[in-house]
Amino acid sequence: MTDVRPRTSRLPVPPNRRRLVAVVAGLVIAVPIVAAHVVAWIETEFALDQLARGLHGMAEFIGDAVPPDLSRSVVEQGLQGCVVTLAIGLLGTTFSIPFSLLLAFLGARTTTRAPLVYQLARAVMSFFRAVPDIVFALIFVTAVGLGPFAGVLAIICHNTGVMAKLWSETMEEVDPGAVEPLRTAGASGSQIAAHVVLPSVVPQFVGLLLYRFDVNVRSSLVLGLVGAGGIGFSINQSISLFRFDEMLTYILMVLVFIIAVDLLSGVVRHRLARP
């Protein structure tokens, strides 16, 4: 008996289009990245051979700095500079809180429904974040003179923009289900913020505040290099006077100082994170 069923011919297996698409997508992403790095290499005049030629000068510089000057006057000046640096970071962080809180409320969709107010608040945040704190320090040095007061004002301005953005994004992550009933009942933005948003985000707010305090203390070191006081000002003076052994002493003190601030803020954040 003959088989009368129609024979089915096997169709050729199509090529693996997924793999081809993945390769093309990888090239589309990789080529611009590589090109950007090539341009950056050229624009920054990155040259390892130039670094190798300069190693002799670096060795002489380190030789002039070692051993550090541990005389009493230098150590006392360094300790005083560390205290001023800590004070700049502390006051700059604390005095920026009310401005950051106001901008965060105005720049969060959870508490602000007016698009114009929201966009204006976001623009102000962007401005304060875009201008580096060292630029603010240079501006305030010309206004109030050399000293830590200019550093405090610079930290206030820059930290207001950064912290307002962090806090506003935290507020926008609040569960909408807790906000909508009050909004439907006709509650204002300030009432929603006071009764729902703030109680939900206080731990995150405090954690971000401690993080910014840590960053601001580091920033105040750099601000001292432009005349805003603190240990950075002492480092700048010792370099200008070619007293590299004093410079090394101040740098070692900065290292201990930063480690202590890191440990302290880490302990506080860890305790806040506990349920």
Side-chain angles (χ1 to χ4, degrees):
M1 184 175 180
T2 59
D3 189 1
V4 296
R5 289 178 299 176
R7 294 183 178 180
T8 58
S9 59
R10 291 185 178 181
L11 297 175
V13 178
N16 193 339
R17 295 182 180 275
R18 276 188 191 172
R19 183 175 298 177
L20 179 61
V21 170
V23 171
V24 173
L27 289 174
V28 169
I29 295 174
V31 169
I33 292 177
V34 173
H37 281 79
V38 171
V39 172
W41 184 291
I42 296 172
E43 291 296 326
T44 56
E45 301 178 0
F46 192 89
L48 294 176
D49 58 333
Q50 189 175 0
L51 174 63
R53 290 194 300 269
L55 289 178
H56 178 69
M58 293 175 61
E60 289 184 354
F61 180 81
I62 295 174
D64 292 337
V66 177
D69 184 357
L70 299 178
S71 61
R72 181 176 179 179
S73 60
V74 173
V75 173
E76 287 180 350
Q77 183 175 349
L79 290 174
Q80 183 180 3
C82 288
V83 171
V84 173
T85 297
L86 180 63
I88 292 172
L90 178 63
L91 290 182
T93 304
T94 302
F95 290 158
S96 65
I97 290 176
F99 307 109
S100 302
L101 200 57
L102 176 61
L103 277 177
F105 284 146
L106 298 178
R109 298 187 187 276
T110 312
T111 53
T112 301
R113 303 193 67 180
L116 180 60
V117 175
Y118 174 83
Q119 294 299 334
L120 285 176
R122 286 283 172 171
V124 174
M125 291 182 205
S126 299
F127 170 75
F128 283 121
R129 285 187 297 111
V131 179
D133 44 18
I134 195 167
V135 175
F136 279 123
L138 289 170
I139 295 172
F140 286 120
V141 162
T142 61
V144 301
L146 298 174
F149 183 40
V152 174
L153 296 174
I155 294 292
I156 291 173
C157 290
H158 184 71
N159 192 63
T160 293
V162 177
M163 205 155 62
K165 183 176 186 298
L166 295 174
W167 280 356
S168 64
E169 291 178 349
T170 302
M171 293 167 63
E172 289 182 344
E173 294 175 359
V174 173
D175 183 12
V179 176
E180 287 304 324
L182 284 179
R183 183 168 289 167
T184 304
S188 63
S190 58
Q191 290 174 326
I192 293 174
H195 295 287
V196 177
V197 177
L198 271 181
S200 304
V201 298
V202 165
Q204 293 92 325
F205 270 30
V206 176
L208 290 171
L209 181 64
L210 290 173
Y211 164 72
R212 285 304 305 172
F213 169 68
D214 188 5
V215 173
N216 290 335
V217 170
R218 298 169 187 268
S219 298
S220 60
L221 294 170
V222 181
L223 298 183
L225 299 177
V226 296
I231 189 72
F233 184 71
S234 299
I235 293 175
N236 189 33
Q237 273 191 322
S238 60
I239 293 174
S240 301
L241 298 174
F242 300 100
R243 296 175 181 171
F244 301 124
D245 51 348
E246 290 185 10
M247 176 206 68
L248 182 58
T249 302
Y250 296 141
I251 290 176
L252 293 175
M253 296 179 74
V254 165
L255 177 63
V256 175
F257 173 64
I258 290 298
I259 291 175
V261 172
D262 282 344
L263 292 175
L264 179 62
S265 59
V267 169
V268 176
R269 284 197 298 266
H270 179 69
R271 290 184 178 275
L272 289 173
R274 288 181 180 178

